[in-house]
C-alpha cells in the first residue's frame, strides 16, 4: 500500500507549480525576445554551429566595413584626380591659345592658377589625412603652392615629402588591393623615351624659361623661339595629362571592383543572417500557445496547493 502524507502532497504540488512557472517564464522570454534562447546554453548541441555562423557573419561584416572605407577613399581620390586632369587640360589650352592667338599676355597668370589647382589636388585630404602622402598622412605631400615656390626649390623632387608606402586594404578573404597613390609618383616619359619627369617639371621649365632674360618673358607677342618652346610643352602636357587620366582610370576600376566585392559580401551576409535566424528565431505562434498553456498550468498548480489545506490528515484526526 502506498503511503500518502500531507508533506509529500505539498512537495509534489509545489514542484508542479515551480515547473509551470519556469515554463511560463521560458515562453514569456520567447514571446518578448522572439528568440529561442537568450544565451548559447539555451541552444544545446546547436550552439557550436551557431557560433560558427556568427563568426562568419562577423568576418563578412568586417569586410563590408572595410569596403565602405575604401570606397569613400577612392571617391575622394577620384575628385582630386579629376581636379588635376581638368587643370592639366586647362594648362594645355592656355599654351595652345598662345600659339593660336599669337599673344602670351595672360599665359603665366593662367598657368599659375592651374599649377595651384594641381598642387591642391595632390594635397587633397580625406577624413583628416592627406590622400597622396603615403603612410605619413599628417604631413602635406607637396610643400609648394605657387610657381615662384616651385622655381625656387632646388629640384622638383625636393618639393615632395610623402613616403613610399602605398595604402593597401584587405577587402575579402585572400584579396588585398593597393588603393592609394603617391604625390611624387605622377611622372611621364619625356620625348627621349627614357627620362621620367614629374608633371611639376613642365610648369617649372616654363616658369624658368619665362624668368630667364635671355628667353623670356612670356608676355605680349611670342617670338619664334618662344613658339617652338611652347609647342614642345604642348606635347609634354599631353603626356602628363595621359598619365593622370590613366591613374584616374585605374582608380575607377578599383571603385568598380570594390563595389562588386561589397555586393557579394552583402549577399553573403544576408544568407548567413537567414541561417542564423532559422536557428535562433522563435516560432511566435507556438510561443504564445505555450505561454497560455503555462499560465493555465500555473493557475491549476496554485489551486491544487490551495485545496491541499482542506485535505490535511490533521482535519480527519480532529
Amino acid at each position: 500500500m502506498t503511503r500518502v502524507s500531507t508533506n509529500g502532497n505539498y512537495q509534489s504540488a509545489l514542484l508542479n507549480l515551480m515547473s509551470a512557472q519556469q515554463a511560463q517564464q521560458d515562453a514569456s522570454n520567447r514571446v518578448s525576445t522572439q528568440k529561442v534562447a537568450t544565451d548559447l546554453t539555451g541552444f544545446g548541441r546547436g550552439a557550436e554551429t551557431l557560433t560558427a555562423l556568427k563568426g562568419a557573419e562577423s568576418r563578412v561584416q568586417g569586410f563590408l566595413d572595410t569596403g565602405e572605407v575604401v570606397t569613400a577613399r577612392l571617391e575622394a581620390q577620384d575628385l582630386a584626380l579629376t581636379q588635376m586632369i581638368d587643370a592639366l587640360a586647362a594648362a594645355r589650352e592656355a599654351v595652345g591659345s598662345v600659339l593660336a592667338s599669337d599673344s602670351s599676355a595672360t599665359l603665366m597668370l593662367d598657368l599659375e592658377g592651374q599649377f595651384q589647382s594641381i598642387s591642391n589636388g595632390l594635397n587633397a585630404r580625406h577624413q583628416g589625412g592627406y590622400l597622396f602622402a603615403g603612410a605619413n598622412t599628417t604631413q602635406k605631400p607637396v610643400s609648394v603652392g605657387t610657381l615662384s615656390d616651385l622655381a625656387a626649390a632646388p629640384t622638383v623632387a625636393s618639393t615632395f615629402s610623402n613616403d613610399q608606402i602605398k595604402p593597401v586594404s584587405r577587402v575579402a578573404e585572400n584579396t588585398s588591393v593597393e588603393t592609394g597613390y603617391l604625390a611624387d609618383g605622377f611622372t611621364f616619359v619625356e620625348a627621349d623615351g627614357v627620362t621620367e619627369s614629374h608633371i611639376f617639371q613642365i610648369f617649372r621649365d616654363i616658369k624658368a624659361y619665362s624668368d630667364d632674360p635671355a628667353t623670356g618673358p612670356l608676355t605680349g607677342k611670342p617670338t619664334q623661339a618662344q613658339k617652338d618652346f611652347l609647342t614642345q610643352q604642348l606635347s609634354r602636357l599631353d603626356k602628363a595629362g595621359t598619365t593622370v587620366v590613366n591613374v584616374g582610370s585605374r582608380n575607377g576600376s578599383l571603385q568598380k571592383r570594390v563595389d562588386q566585392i561589397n555586393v557579394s559580401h552583402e549577399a553573403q551576409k544576408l544568407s548567413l543572417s537567414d541561417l542564423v535566424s532559422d536557428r535562433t528565431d522563435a516560432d511566435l505562434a507556438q510561443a504564445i500557445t505555450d505561454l497560455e498553456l503555462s499560465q493555465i498550468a500555473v493557475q491549476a498548480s496554485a489551486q491544487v496547493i490551495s485545496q491541499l489545506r482542506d485535505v490535511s490528515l490533521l482535519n480527519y484526526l480532529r
Side-chain angles (χ1 to χ4, degrees):
M1 183 177 68
T2 303
R3 297 183 61 186
V4 178
S5 67
T6 300
N7 184 60
N9 287 338
Y10 269 111
Q11 288 291 335
S12 178
L14 185 59
L15 288 175
N16 288 337
L17 176 61
M18 293 174 63
S19 177
Q21 288 176 331
Q22 182 62 51
Q24 181 184 26
Q25 182 63 42
D26 292 341
S28 178
N29 287 339
R30 279 184 287 153
V31 171
S32 61
T33 64
Q34 299 185 11
K35 298 294 181 182
V36 173
T38 56
D39 55 33
L40 290 177
T41 304
F43 295 100
R45 287 178 294 180
E48 185 175 350
T49 301
L50 183 60
T51 300
L53 288 173
K54 294 293 286 184
E57 187 178 22
S58 179
R59 288 196 300 275
V60 171
Q61 183 60 55
F63 288 134
L64 278 172
D65 293 340
T66 299
E68 290 178 0
V69 173
V70 171
T71 297
R73 178 187 180 88
L74 292 175
E75 289 175 351
Q77 288 178 170
D78 181 67
L79 292 175
L81 291 169
T82 299
Q83 177 178 330
M84 294 167 60
I85 292 170
D86 291 343
L88 283 168
R92 188 195 185 286
E93 183 178 352
V95 173
S97 178
V98 171
L99 298 176
S101 65
D102 208 26
S103 173
S104 59
T106 62
L107 175 63
M108 296 312 298
L109 183 62
D110 290 340
L111 292 181
E112 180 73 47
Q114 304 314 323
F115 174 75
Q116 290 180 7
S117 184
I118 295 173
S119 178
N120 290 335
L122 291 177
N123 279 334
R125 304 184 70 175
H126 173 64
Q127 294 183 348
Y130 291 99
L131 283 171
F132 303 110
N136 186 19
T137 58
T138 59
Q139 184 175 355
K140 277 186 178 183
V142 178
S143 60
V144 294
T146 65
L147 288 178
S148 297
D149 294 338
L150 179 63
T155 61
V156 168
S158 67
T159 64
F160 301 105
S161 58
N162 60 273
D163 57 33
Q164 298 303 307
I165 303 175
K166 295 182 179 180
V168 177
S169 302
R170 186 166 177 259
V171 294
E173 293 286 357
N174 304 318
T175 303
S176 297
V177 293
E178 189 177 273
T179 56
Y181 310 95
L182 303 177
D184 64 356
F186 292 86
T187 59
F188 66 97
V189 179
E190 293 282 5
D192 58 11
V194 178
T195 306
E196 276 199 8
S197 298
H198 193 275
I199 57 178
F200 276 14
Q201 189 66 51
I202 303 173
F203 291 88
R204 179 182 170 91
D205 291 345
I206 295 176
K207 175 66 173 174
Y209 188 91
S210 180
D211 290 346
D212 188 345
T215 56
L218 290 173
T219 57
K221 184 176 180 178
T223 64
Q224 186 58 47
Q226 290 175 339
K227 289 182 179 180
D228 293 341
F229 172 77
L230 291 176
T231 300
Q232 294 175 357
Q233 306 317 305
L234 280 179
S235 176
R236 298 176 78 197
L237 285 168
D238 284 339
K239 290 183 177 181
T242 300
T243 294
V244 183
V245 167
N246 289 339
V247 174
S249 297
R250 180 179 181 275
N251 190 77
S253 297
L254 280 177
Q255 281 183 279
K256 184 175 181 180
R257 182 183 179 190
V258 172
D259 287 343
Q260 292 173 340
I261 291 174
N262 287 343
V263 169
S264 175
H265 283 153
E266 287 286 1
Q268 291 181 41
K269 183 185 176 184
L270 182 60
S271 177
L272 289 169
S273 296
D274 289 341
L275 290 173
V276 171
S277 295
D278 290 343
R279 288 165 172 77
T280 60
D281 289 355
D283 185 338
L284 195 57
Q286 184 62 49
I288 293 174
T289 300
D290 292 344
L291 178 60
E292 292 174 347
L293 292 175
S294 62
Q295 289 173 341
I296 295 173
V298 168
Q299 293 172 359
S301 296
Q303 188 175 4
V304 169
I305 292 176
S306 177
Q307 290 175 348
L308 282 176
R309 292 179 303 177
D310 299 328
V311 296
S312 171
L313 293 176
L314 295 176
N315 294 334
Y316 294 99
L317 293 177
R318 291 195 187 98

